[in-house]
Amino acid sequence: MEGDLGQPGLGLSDENKSILFNEVSIVFNGAASLRLESGLKDAIRHNTTGTKHVLDLAVEMKNLASFVHLSTAFCHCEFDTLDETIYPSPANPEDVMRAVEWMDDHTLEIITPRLLGPHPNCYTYSKRLAESLVSQYANRIPISVARPSIVTPSFKEPVPGWVDSLNGPVGVIVAGGKGVIRSVLCSPDYEAEVVPVDIAINALILIAWKRTIINVDVMDDPVPCYNISKGDIVHLNWGEVLAKGKRYAYEYPFDAGLWYPNGSMRTNKLMHYFIVFWLQVVPAYLIDGIMVLARQKTFMVRVQKRIAVGMEVLQYFTMRGWNFKIENTKALINGLNEEDMNKFYISNTEIDIEKYMIQVLLGARQYCMKEPLANLDRARFHLKLLYWLNMVTQVLFGFFLLWVFVRAFDSFKFLLDSSTSSFTNVPIIGSLIPK
C-alpha cells in the first residue's frame, strides 16, 4: 500500500485503512529516514511524527496482538551502558513535533544544538523522542521496542553476505578496499557493536511472538525493550575488524581500485585530517583535473565530499565504547522447540568470525558493486600492479624528501657562513668567532 509518513493516517485511502483495521494483527514499525545528516525538521517529521501516525492507526486495529517499534541502540548517547528499558525523554515529543511545524528553518537551525544535547545528529534524537512517544501508548496497545546496533551483511539468509546498501561499515569496507579511504578515526580497542541483518530480523520476529504470549498481569515492564547486538556473545574490537578485513581484502580484492588499499585507523584527529588532506583530498582534485583535461566527467571530488560527510557521522560511534545489555534478547529463544530455535537463530548459533568476514567482503563485492567472482583473478593482478605502483611512489617520495632536506641543509649552511663572515667585522662579537 502506498503511503506517506508525513501525513495523518499515512495518507492511506479509506479502503486500505479498513483492510488494516480488520485484518492486521502484528505491526512492525520500521519506516524511517536513515539519513544521519538530515536536519531537525525532516528527522522529526519522518521518525517521530511518522511513528505517531502509525501508532494512531494501530489503535484502531481490532485484532492487534503485537506492535514492534524499531528503534536504535544509539538513541541514548549519554549512556555508555544501555539497559533494556525505556529511559526518560529529554523533551516532550508532542512539543517538539509542534515546534518543527511552525518554526522556520533559520530558527530551527539556531535551537537545534540546544535541543540535541549529547546527541551527535538529529536521527538519534528523533528516534529517542519516538521511543518516549511509543511508551505513552503502552496502556492502549501491546508494544515492544527493539534496538538494533550497527547492522551488517547477512550471516546465513537469504544467502551468506547478502547486503543491498553501502550505509555504515559496508561503505567503509568498499571505499577502503578500493583505496579511496586512507584513514579512519576509530579506536581499535573498543568493541564493534554490530549485528548481521538476518539475526536482527529473527529477533524482531521473536519479539513480536513473545509479546503475544506474555501475560500482561505479570509483566515487569509495560514496554519490553530488546537491545539487538553482539553484546557478550562474540568479542570483537574494531582493531580486529580492520586487521581481518585488510587480510581478506588482499585475498579477495575489489575490481578497479583507485590505489593500493593500505588505509589505517587513527585516534589522533590532527594526524587523521593531515592524512585525509594529502592522500584523499589532493589526489581527488588531481584526478578530476586530469578528467577535465581529457574532457571527461569529473567524480572524485564529489565522492570525497560524500565520504567526508559519512565519516563525520560514523566516527562518533567508532570513537566511543558501548556496552549493550542483551539479556532480554538472548532470552527470546526460551520456550522455543529445537526446530524453531534453528529457524530463528539469534544467540544459539556458532559464529566463525574469519568465515563471516570473507562473506561480508564477497557480499559487498557481488551485491553492492556488481562485481562477479569470475573476475577475481583479474582483480588480484590489478592489486599487484597497485602494490608496486604504491612502492615506487613511496620510494620516489622518500628521495624527494631527502633532496628537499639536503637542499634546505645547504641553504642553511650558506646562510650560516654568510652571517658568520658578516659578524667577524663587528667589534667585540667578531673577536669571539674563531678564525
Side-chain angles (χ1 to χ4, degrees):
M1 299 178 181
E2 291 186 359
D4 185 347
L5 281 175
Q7 298 296 323
L10 304 183
L12 295 170
S13 66
D14 291 338
E15 180 183 357
N16 284 341
K17 286 182 183 178
S18 177
I19 294 173
L20 295 179
F21 294 158
N22 294 305
E23 298 184 18
V24 170
S25 58
I26 294 179
V27 173
F28 294 94
N29 180 39
S33 170
L34 301 180
R35 295 184 60 215
L36 302 185
E37 68 275 15
S38 291
L40 185 64
K41 180 170 289 189
D42 286 340
I44 294 297
R45 278 180 174 175
H46 291 121
N47 301 336
T48 310
T49 306
T51 295
K52 177 174 173 54
H53 293 157
V54 177
L55 287 165
D56 289 338
L57 280 178
V59 170
E60 302 295 326
M61 296 178 184
K62 300 174 183 178
N63 304 311
L64 187 65
S66 184
F67 183 103
V68 181
H69 172 67
L70 193 60
S71 185
T72 171
F74 301 100
C75 66
H76 300 282
C77 302
E78 68 272 36
F79 300 108
D80 293 332
T81 298
L82 184 68
D83 292 314
E84 293 175 295
T85 186
I86 294 290
Y87 289 86
S89 175
N92 187 325
E94 298 282 355
D95 292 340
V96 179
M97 288 188 292
R98 284 193 296 267
V100 300
E101 291 304 321
W102 67 263
M103 283 188 184
D104 60 83
D105 293 339
H106 179 66
T107 305
L108 279 175
E109 187 176 348
I110 294 174
I111 68 170
T112 292
R114 180 66 180 271
L115 286 176
L116 295 187
H119 289 268
N121 52 62
C122 297
Y123 169 75
T124 61
Y125 179 71
S126 63
K127 296 295 282 186
R128 180 169 185 173
L129 292 181
E131 275 198 12
S132 176
L133 188 66
V134 165
S135 66
Q136 296 174 13
Y137 282 72
N139 61 342
R140 302 169 68 184
I141 55 178
I143 287 180
S144 304
V145 171
R147 298 183 184 131
S149 59
I150 299 174
V151 179
T152 55
S154 65
F155 178 61
K156 290 183 183 179
E157 298 175 314
V159 290
W162 177 84
V163 61
D164 67 346
S165 171
L166 289 174
N167 289 335
V170 175
V172 177
I173 290 171
V174 171
K178 285 185 173 287
V180 178
I181 291 181
R182 312 302 297 280
S183 179
V184 178
L185 263 181
C186 182
S187 180
D189 298 325
Y190 287 143
E191 288 286 305
E193 286 296 343
V194 298
V195 59
V197 62
D198 49 337
I199 291 180
I201 291 172
N202 285 341
L204 292 176
I205 295 171
L206 290 177
I207 289 169
W209 164 75
K210 182 73 75 171
R211 189 64 179 86
T212 65
I213 64 173
I214 292 178
N215 187 337
V216 179
D217 296 331
V218 299
M219 285 177 57
D220 296 327
D221 194 331
V223 184
C225 292
Y226 302 86
N227 297 335
I228 307 174
S229 189
K230 74 171 187 61
D232 56 0
I233 297 175
V234 177
H235 290 287
L236 180 70
N237 59 42
W238 290 115
E240 292 173 300
V241 171
L242 177 66
K244 296 179 190 298
K246 288 180 73 171
R247 184 165 84 245
Y248 293 124
Y250 296 146
E251 292 183 28
Y252 307 97
F254 289 94
D255 200 15
L258 182 69
W259 199 256
Y260 187 69
N262 60 349
S264 300
M265 288 182 180
R266 290 175 176 83
T267 55
N268 185 298
K269 290 188 176 181
L270 184 62
M271 181 59 68
H272 165 73
Y273 290 121
F274 178 82
I275 296 296
V276 167
F277 178 76
W278 285 108
L279 298 184
Q280 292 183 207
V281 177
V282 171
Y285 277 95
L286 289 175
I287 291 172
D288 275 4
I290 294 173
M291 299 300 287
V292 170
L293 294 176
R295 296 185 179 182
Q296 299 294 320
K297 188 176 181 180
T298 60
F299 66 97
M300 274 308 302
V301 172
R302 184 172 66 254
V303 168
Q304 282 296 337
K305 286 181 178 179
R306 290 181 60 185
I307 288 175
V309 172
M311 297 305 294
E312 187 73 25
V313 172
L314 191 62
Q315 71 188 31
Y316 177 86
F317 305 104
T318 57
M319 289 291 287
R320 287 186 59 183
W322 309 90
N323 178 20
F324 298 135
K325 302 297 183 181
I326 61 169
E327 298 309 312
N328 287 354
T329 301
K330 289 193 293 186
L332 286 170
I333 61 174
N334 295 345
L336 293 180
N337 58 39
E338 185 175 355
E339 181 183 356
D340 284 341
M341 285 181 64
N342 293 329
K343 183 180 296 185
F344 300 102
Y345 51 92
I346 50 173
S347 60
N348 58 310
T349 184
E350 293 293 328
I351 298 179
D352 184 338
I353 294 298
E354 307 283 336
K355 182 179 179 181
Y356 178 65
M357 287 296 296
I358 295 175
Q359 292 172 352
V360 169
L361 278 168
L362 294 181
R365 197 180 192 281
Q366 295 176 89
Y367 307 120
C368 282
M369 304 311 296
K370 310 302 180 185
E371 298 176 6
L373 298 183
N375 65 13
L376 266 175
D377 288 338
R378 185 183 68 187
R380 289 172 181 139
F381 176 75
H382 186 220
L383 184 68
K384 289 181 180 179
L385 294 179
L386 290 176
Y387 170 79
W388 288 111
L389 177 62
N390 181 63
M391 293 296 293
V392 170
T393 303
Q394 289 182 350
V395 170
L396 292 177
F397 186 67
F399 278 118
F400 172 74
L401 290 179
L402 181 63
W403 177 80
V404 170
F405 175 78
V406 171
R407 294 303 299 267
F409 180 78
D410 289 343
S411 299
F412 177 74
K413 183 179 179 182
F414 173 77
L415 290 174
L416 187 63
D417 290 342
S418 300
S419 60
T420 301
S421 61
S422 299
F423 278 122
T424 56
N425 299 320
V426 178
I428 301 177
I429 296 176
S431 62
L432 298 176
I433 300 175
K435 302 298 183 182

